[in-house]
Amino acid sequence: MELIILDKDFQELLRVDLFHSFIWIEKYHDSGEYELHLSKYQMNDFSKAKYLYRNDVMKLTLIESLDFELKPDGSKTFKIGGNFIEKQLDNRVFEKEKTYSGTHSEIANQIVSEYFPGIKIKASNLGVQTTTKFDGQRIGTALYKFLKEQELSQRIIYDYLDNTLTYEVYKGIDRTDTQSVNDWAIFGDDNETIENIKYGKSIAKYYNYAIVTGDGDKTNPTTEIVDWTNGNERREIRIKGPSSRKKNDSNVDMSESEYRAMLIQKGKEALEKASKVEFFDGNLINRTYRHDYNLGDLCNTSLCNVGVYAYKRIIEVKEIFENKDVKVVPKFGNDYETLSDILGGVNNES
């Protein structure tokens, strides 16, 4: 692994060959981030620095913060940090309402090509055929959310030798024991693959049935239902949608179907924010990151001590480099199916 510091024109300024610690966090549904603690270098060395490039994974990051501390004992600490290059997609916003059609990856590729012409596009055809609207959102954040509907993600690869950025929509590999194409990845407290386990679950703010009301009489408003119960106990939430049918504050009215589609979208957005929270993480042992498993992969997980057995996607991986040691801590996230769901069991509790 080499860490190369670049200026705004992607010209090399220096190579970091010594550091106290390096924390590298990759995320599947958001841009990643990092933190690098140094002792050998001074702030002047980074006066023109804009990017940090990690060559072994071809990832480019932004240098967004510089922190220097002189301690009472005379020792110095210097820290740089920031987000991965995907965060720059948030530099642009949808300046007006726009409608796109195609598969999820085709739509994302079209948007990035439109707003960031300097980035190459790796063609793909992932997701399903759909039509969607964007209006006012930051592009990077909106695309992460849009792609998550189909368990997809996005990344930008930097080719240091060719000095090119390439945008790609991708999906993590299925490594569960329900398929035979890829090697399995099975993690749990019963097979010596994970230690220092942390588990959390909450349904305190979970809803799965949205009643969205719009214009009309208070006793009989225009109403749309978004039902995500999927056979489970109904937990309702009422959402008050826009009472105006005007398009973008203009004098043009939406059609009935356009207005109802907008109410449904409001309901979906509300339920996405009110989802179940369940995750676990820990230090993986006897497995190699990027060989046996990777960010976004769907894996078997089992926590015998808490009775959780599920297929979970790896939504975050933290690598900690310190004192010549490397610690890898994955986070298994919410977007998963329980074993009983996949095997047709009757117990839907998750």
Side-chain angles (χ1 to χ4, degrees):
M1 178 182 70
E2 281 192 309
L3 304 178
I4 305 173
I5 306 301
L6 308 174
D7 67 11
K8 63 181 180 61
D9 299 316
F10 301 97
Q11 297 300 306
E12 183 177 330
L13 295 175
L14 61 93
R15 299 194 177 210
V16 176
D17 56 9
L18 185 65
F19 55 80
H20 280 311
S21 64
F22 182 38
I23 302 173
W24 180 268
I25 305 174
E26 297 180 333
K27 301 179 182 181
Y28 192 60
H29 295 307
D30 199 356
S31 60
E33 57 189 332
Y34 74 98
E35 191 173 283
L36 179 62
H37 294 255
L38 306 159
S39 59
K40 175 181 174 181
Y41 304 93
Q42 302 294 329
M43 287 196 67
N44 289 341
D45 296 325
F46 292 80
S47 60
K48 296 182 179 180
K50 183 171 182 178
Y51 304 107
L52 179 147
Y53 173 62
R54 179 177 167 184
N55 71 329
D56 61 324
V57 292
M58 298 182 70
K59 288 298 297 184
L60 190 68
T61 69
L62 305 169
I63 297 177
E64 297 178 303
S65 65
L66 300 170
D67 296 289
F68 175 80
E69 181 181 0
L70 178 61
K71 298 182 179 180
D73 62 3
S75 61
K76 303 174 183 178
T77 60
F78 178 43
K79 179 180 71 175
I80 67 173
N83 288 280
F84 289 9
I85 191 63
E86 288 82 5
K87 191 65 176 180
Q88 281 204 327
L89 297 177
D90 274 346
N91 287 354
R92 299 292 305 275
V93 299
F94 294 99
E95 70 281 3
K96 59 183 179 181
E97 182 181 284
K98 292 189 174 183
T99 302
Y100 298 88
S101 296
T103 64
H104 283 69
S105 62
E106 288 172 340
I107 290 173
N109 290 342
Q110 181 182 346
I111 290 170
V112 173
S113 179
E114 176 183 346
Y115 284 89
F116 302 90
I119 299 178
K120 292 183 176 182
I121 303 296
K122 183 174 181 178
S124 59
N125 187 26
L126 300 173
V128 298
Q129 285 287 334
T130 187
T131 297
T132 189
K133 293 182 180 180
F134 297 95
D135 185 8
Q137 308 100 317
R138 295 189 180 278
I139 288 175
T141 300
L143 288 180
Y144 272 118
K145 183 177 179 181
F146 172 65
L147 294 171
K148 186 178 179 181
E149 294 175 2
Q150 294 295 311
E151 299 183 47
L152 303 174
S153 187
Q154 60 186 350
R155 59 190 172 198
I156 297 176
I157 301 299
Y158 179 60
D159 189 315
Y160 178 68
L161 296 179
D162 291 341
N163 192 27
T164 56
L165 294 168
T166 301
Y167 175 83
E168 177 186 13
V169 174
Y170 74 102
K171 186 173 186 177
I173 293 174
D174 184 350
R175 294 186 180 275
T176 65
D177 59 5
T178 61
Q179 53 80 43
S180 58
V181 176
N182 306 306
D183 291 338
W184 295 354
I186 302 175
F187 301 105
D189 54 7
D190 57 349
N191 66 348
E192 297 183 347
T193 56
I194 191 166
E195 60 184 7
N196 297 329
I197 295 171
K198 295 180 181 178
Y199 171 81
K201 176 180 178 178
S202 174
I203 60 170
K205 298 181 180 180
Y206 165 61
Y207 302 98
N208 57 17
Y209 191 93
I211 303 169
V212 191
T213 58
D215 62 0
D217 186 88
K218 289 185 178 181
T219 60
N220 188 29
T222 303
T223 302
E224 286 292 339
I225 301 297
V226 180
D227 183 354
W228 286 3
T229 55
N230 195 30
N232 294 306
E233 178 186 11
R234 183 190 296 185
R235 295 170 66 97
E236 295 181 355
I237 185 172
R238 182 175 179 269
I239 307 297
K240 186 171 178 57
S243 58
S244 172
R245 297 195 178 208
K246 300 298 181 184
K247 289 186 178 180
N248 300 325
D249 298 323
S250 68
N251 291 321
V252 180
D253 283 339
M254 299 179 191
S255 66
E256 182 70 16
S257 61
E258 287 177 327
Y259 183 66
R260 288 186 175 275
M262 181 178 64
L263 295 182
I264 291 173
Q265 182 61 31
K266 293 293 183 183
K268 289 180 178 179
E269 291 173 358
L271 292 184
E272 285 174 354
K273 294 178 181 178
S275 60
K276 293 180 181 179
V277 176
E278 182 175 30
F279 71 91
F280 81 83
D281 60 29
N283 302 335
L284 292 194
I285 54 177
N286 303 321
R287 294 292 185 273
T288 303
Y289 182 38
R290 300 190 184 91
H291 180 268
D292 299 318
Y293 66 96
N294 211 333
L295 181 72
D297 287 356
L298 191 64
C299 309
N300 286 63
T301 61
S302 62
L303 296 180
C304 297
N305 286 292
V306 293
V308 174
Y309 306 90
Y311 297 125
K312 282 179 174 285
R313 193 171 297 280
I314 300 175
I315 61 169
E316 179 181 301
V317 180
K318 179 187 293 185
E319 293 178 280
I320 304 171
F321 301 83
E322 192 171 24
N323 297 326
K324 298 183 179 181
D325 291 329
V326 181
K327 183 183 295 184
V328 180
V329 183
K331 182 176 181 180
F332 298 86
N334 298 330
D335 48 344
Y336 72 96
E337 297 176 282
T338 65
L339 294 179
S340 58
D341 289 336
I342 291 178
L343 299 178
V346 296
N347 181 9
N348 289 313
E349 178 66 22
S350 60

